[in-house]
Amino acid sequence: MAVFDSKAFLKTLSTEPGVYRMYDAQHQVIYVGKAKNLKKRVSSYFRSNIPDAKTRVLVSNIANIEVTLTNTETEALLLENNLIKQYQPRYNILLRDDKSYPYIFLSGHKHPRLAFHRGSRKQKGDYFGPYPSSAAVSESLRLMQKIFPVRQCEDAYYRARSRPCLQYQLKRCSAPCVGKVSDGEYKEQVELVKQFLSGKSHQVIATLVEKMEQASMALNFELAAKVRDQIAILRQMQEQQFVAGNLGEIDIIGFQQQNGICAIHLLMVRDHKVLGSKTYFPKVPKDSQQDEIVTSFIGQYYVGAGTQRQIPKEIVLPFELQDQNELINALSQLADKKVELKASVRSERAQYLALANKNALNSIVVKQNAQDSITKRYALLKEALQLSDINRMECFDISHTMGENTIASCVVFDGSGPNNKEYRRYNVTGITPGDDYAAMAFALNKRYGKLKDEEKIPDVIFIDGGKGQLNKAEAFFEDWPHSKMPLLVGVAKGTSRKPGLETLLIDGGRRTVNLDSDSPALHLIQHIRDESHRFAIAGHRNKRQKQRTQSLLEEIEGVGQKRRQALLKYLGGMQGVKSATIAQLNQVPGISQDMAEKIFNHLHDKA
């Protein structure tokens, strides 16, 4: 491997602010960092005496460095966190995505919709939050309707409208569904919503004041009065926030590190009340410093890509940070208001900080107990199956209804328990309906037929079923080309099919293992078996529902695939098609008056 020539690289390096990316010999990004002075910061990695063991290991793996200059430190902070999220470098502290808190979602449609959102953020649009509770989101959405007439209705309802709904009459929506507002005006309101939810209410008021003055000059007094009312509500809100004081908007960060586990507990305090809290367990490389961990958390939490969080006026820290002033400037610029970071606190703030630290420590204890429980289960299972080690287990299950819509599931457990990202479902085709043995053979071939990465070969494969299913699995592995061979275990239910009476079948059923009903090893097997069952049933139900959704339309002569897709897309699914009038059906592209009547009569005869 060629040694990285740091002296030659540093000679040409700029002294401006920016972001640097470090690559290894395989051209994988291993570290991303930002700097006020790139040359000074990057040079520090190549000193003769580096006390930090983590940095020494990082430098020994550097094969190349690339830099991107930015105009300001704030731009560097934004870019750094975008790149960390994109590359997930192994020497960076990584904050995993938080999917449990609720968000406000502004969709990416032509006429965007404001909505409550919880879960993975895959839909195109802007996410604001997280909020401490669903009640806080509901209250914010209710407030939005008073100030900004942006739609909050479901997409299916929006597409099916032929006249304005009650929200328009109440002046809580501008009715873009039926053209009561121009696209330009609606877009203006959406931009104001984005600014408001990002905490830039002063900027929103300034924009509205200018708009009101322009309307008055143009003698458009109706519009001026409408904008005046918006401004009045916003100013009233600002006054309420001012009366509440600083503790009306404050986040407290608690920190604890113990036994290789790092926990950061975030308390959200609003109006002297703890509205919500959450513990984060960032992925921390070995020998990382506490200062670096908390600094990375603040950057990734408040500036994380794909999420627009409301940055509070004040953030209480567990200790002083080396880059504290840089973070203050960057966060203040992003929030468009003065943001304070405080470590030396007293009175009420000190009590909240102690509470956050206490919760962080308790979270470590709980997590460690859970890990100890998992470790114990794995140890007992290894003993029961007479294996030296178990790093990866997979379990298969088949689900169908009278042989229709057959789905095979495969779930994966590693040393930490379920690994959801590795779960897979397979649509079983080309077999006799109801033949579970053939379905199992199909699933195994799909899963392992073209497997090349030996690291993905499990130590144990559980088959939910008796000897027949297990024999099919063993027949598949007779011509196994790899050196590593998984142990095949059939999980047969007892005669009463009650949990705790399962029998483990090994070697085609020639060897059986019966575990006590209270055995932690059996509980682990039940967990992986139940997960495969749940995952298979969920996939089967989705497939069956999709088929049923389209089957009614398939029965109508003249309604082919394109027309079915147009109907479902335009009217928001089968429910929207069923509830549509003949006139609404006729509005769908490609549906004539006669065809609309034909569809309507067919669907309502079926009802």
Side-chain angles (χ1 to χ4, degrees):
M1 183 181 77
V3 178
F4 178 66
D5 189 350
S6 59
K7 289 184 179 179
F9 176 78
L10 293 170
K11 280 181 182 178
T12 60
L13 193 55
S14 171
T15 57
E16 293 186 44
V19 173
Y20 53 93
R21 299 178 297 285
M22 295 175 171
Y23 294 83
D24 62 11
Q26 287 74 44
H27 204 65
Q28 296 291 316
V29 178
I30 56 174
Y31 189 79
V32 173
K34 65 169 177 27
K36 183 179 181 180
N37 181 322
L38 276 170
K39 188 164 189 171
K40 185 178 178 182
R41 180 72 183 95
V42 176
S43 297
S44 68
Y45 287 94
F46 300 100
R47 291 174 296 171
S48 56
N49 55 338
I50 301 175
D52 186 2
K54 174 198 166 188
T55 305
R56 288 199 299 270
V57 175
L58 167 63
V59 172
S60 69
N61 284 286
I62 295 173
N64 187 31
I65 299 177
E66 293 180 358
V67 300
T68 302
L69 301 182
T70 59
N71 293 316
T72 63
E73 293 173 57
T74 304
E75 286 180 13
L77 179 66
L78 284 166
L79 179 58
E80 178 197 31
N81 286 285
N82 287 344
L83 292 174
I84 288 173
K85 193 173 184 72
Q86 179 183 346
Y87 292 114
Q88 300 280 298
R90 69 173 182 268
Y91 290 107
N92 278 99
I93 287 132
L94 303 176
L95 179 64
R96 293 179 175 88
D97 284 339
D98 174 34
K99 297 176 182 177
S100 62
Y101 269 136
Y103 287 77
I104 288 180
F105 173 57
L106 185 63
S107 70
H109 296 112
K110 178 184 177 182
H111 296 134
R113 170 195 176 220
L114 267 175
F116 175 99
H117 179 86
R118 192 195 294 271
S120 58
R121 300 185 284 275
K122 294 179 180 177
Q123 296 181 62
K124 185 181 178 182
D126 297 299
Y127 296 85
F128 300 90
Y131 284 78
S133 65
S134 55
V137 174
S138 300
E139 176 62 22
S140 295
L141 288 173
R142 187 187 64 79
L143 189 63
M144 291 287 100
Q145 281 190 316
K146 284 185 176 181
I147 308 172
F148 308 107
V150 173
R151 75 179 183 96
Q152 295 188 17
C153 61
E154 295 283 348
D155 293 341
Y157 187 80
Y158 161 78
R159 284 193 292 263
R161 298 304 303 172
S162 57
R163 57 195 178 95
C165 67
L166 182 62
Q167 295 298 327
Y168 175 76
Q169 308 298 334
L170 294 172
K171 298 182 179 178
R172 294 186 174 182
C173 179
S174 52
C177 52
V178 291
K180 290 291 184 180
V181 61
S182 70
D183 291 347
E185 284 181 76
Y186 192 82
K187 189 176 180 181
E188 279 182 24
Q189 292 298 318
V190 169
E191 288 303 316
L192 291 174
V193 167
K194 287 182 182 179
Q195 290 176 14
F196 179 78
L197 288 173
S198 299
K200 300 177 181 178
S201 55
H202 289 285
Q203 193 172 319
V204 173
I205 289 176
T207 303
L208 290 173
V209 167
E210 186 179 343
K211 185 177 180 181
M212 181 177 69
E213 290 174 350
Q214 289 175 353
S216 297
M217 293 288 288
L219 304 181
N220 189 348
F221 299 117
E222 185 178 351
L223 175 61
K226 198 181 292 184
V227 177
R228 177 203 62 202
D229 294 341
Q230 283 182 293
I231 295 169
I233 296 172
L234 283 167
R235 282 189 170 147
Q236 185 181 359
M237 282 176 53
Q238 283 186 331
E239 288 171 6
Q240 289 171 349
Q241 288 173 352
F242 180 76
V243 169
N246 282 339
L247 286 188
E249 192 177 279
I250 180 172
D251 284 354
I252 297 96
I253 296 174
F255 177 87
Q256 293 290 342
Q257 196 170 17
Q258 196 175 86
N259 300 328
I261 302 174
C262 174
I264 294 177
H265 190 84
L266 182 76
L267 282 178
M268 296 181 185
V269 177
R270 302 294 183 265
D271 195 17
H272 297 268
K273 297 174 186 175
V274 178
L275 290 188
S277 66
K278 175 74 176 179
T279 302
Y280 295 86
F281 297 97
K283 185 179 178 182
V284 178
K286 192 178 178 182
D287 298 322
S288 296
Q289 301 300 311
Q290 292 184 351
D291 178 279
E292 182 188 1
I293 296 169
V294 175
T295 300
S296 294
F297 172 81
I298 291 172
Q300 292 181 53
Y301 181 81
Y302 292 106
V303 192
T307 302
Q308 298 184 42
R309 301 180 188 269
Q310 281 192 325
I311 301 173
K313 294 177 183 176
E314 185 180 331
I315 301 170
V316 173
L317 305 174
F319 40 74
E320 293 282 347
L321 302 177
Q322 188 177 342
D323 297 333
Q324 194 158 309
N325 290 331
E326 291 179 25
L327 281 171
I328 288 172
N329 294 334
L331 292 173
S332 297
Q333 189 173 333
L334 286 170
D336 198 28
K337 63 186 176 187
K338 186 179 179 182
V339 176
E340 293 183 280
L341 299 181
K342 295 181 179 178
S344 301
V345 289
R346 297 178 181 177
S347 186
E348 192 175 359
R349 290 172 176 79
Q351 291 175 7
Y352 280 131
L353 181 58
L355 180 62
N357 286 328
K358 183 179 179 181
N359 276 282
L361 182 59
N362 181 65
S363 298
I364 289 177
V365 173
V366 171
K367 188 176 181 69
Q368 197 159 21
N369 288 339
Q371 285 183 350
D372 290 344
S373 176
I374 291 172
T375 303
K376 182 181 178 182
R377 289 182 177 189
Y378 272 79
L380 290 172
L381 183 59
K382 282 188 289 185
E383 183 182 328
L385 298 179
Q386 299 176 11
L387 292 173
S388 59
D389 203 5
I390 297 178
N391 295 312
R392 184 184 179 97
M393 300 186 294
E394 299 189 358
C395 184
F396 288 84
D397 191 26
I398 308 295
S399 181
H400 59 79
T401 302
M402 304 295 286
E404 292 185 2
N405 304 314
T406 304
I407 290 286
S409 73
C410 174
V411 300
V412 180
F413 276 44
D414 55 25
S416 303
N419 187 345
N420 304 78
K421 290 182 179 179
E422 296 282 343
Y423 284 18
R424 295 293 182 271
R425 290 193 188 103
Y426 305 103
N427 289 313
V428 179
T429 58
I431 67 166
T432 303
D435 188 346
D436 285 357
Y437 295 162
M440 182 60 68
F442 179 93
L444 291 168
N445 186 57
K446 274 284 187 181
R447 181 69 171 172
Y448 306 116
K450 297 180 181 178
L451 184 67
K452 295 180 180 178
D453 186 359
E454 291 214 357
E455 289 185 4
K456 291 291 182 77
I457 298 174
D459 300 291
V460 184
I461 297 176
F462 291 104
I463 306 295
D464 187 20
K467 287 184 180 180
Q469 293 280 38
L470 184 59
N471 289 335
K472 273 291 178 184
E474 292 197 334
F476 173 81
F477 283 97
E478 281 179 359
D479 299 322
W480 187 239
H482 303 284
S483 57
K484 181 181 178 180
M485 180 70 179
L487 176 66
L488 303 176
V489 181
V491 184
K493 297 181 178 69
T495 52
S496 61
R497 302 181 70 82
K498 288 183 179 178
L501 300 178
E502 292 89 349
T503 298
L504 305 184
L505 307 176
I506 303 172
D507 295 334
R510 292 179 292 277
R511 180 160 69 97
T512 61
V513 176
N514 289 290
L515 299 172
D516 293 337
S517 60
D518 60 350
S519 167
L522 180 60
H523 296 163
L524 179 58
I525 293 170
Q526 289 170 340
H527 187 185
I528 190 170
R529 189 268 317 275
D530 292 346
E531 265 293 274
S532 67
H533 193 54
R534 176 198 64 78
F535 196 57
I537 287 175
H540 167 65
R541 285 175 176 167
N542 291 339
K543 186 177 180 182
R544 186 178 61 189
Q545 184 59 39
K546 186 177 181 181
Q547 188 184 64
R548 288 180 177 177
T549 296
Q550 296 187 350
S551 61
L552 283 174
L553 294 178
E554 287 173 353
E555 295 171 4
I556 306 172
E557 188 180 350
V559 179
Q561 184 179 358
K562 287 187 177 179
R563 280 178 172 166
R564 284 200 304 274
Q565 288 176 347
L567 284 162
L568 294 169
K569 184 178 179 181
Y570 190 83
L571 296 171
M574 195 61 199
Q575 200 59 40
V577 177
K578 285 182 177 179
S579 61
T581 63
I582 293 174
Q584 289 169 340
L585 290 167
N586 186 212
Q587 290 176 359
V588 177
I591 304 297
S592 64
Q593 177 70 22
D594 290 342
M595 182 57 73
E597 291 177 7
K598 188 176 182 179
I599 294 168
F600 183 86
N601 293 333
H602 181 86
L603 294 177
H604 288 270
D605 285 342
K606 291 282 183 184

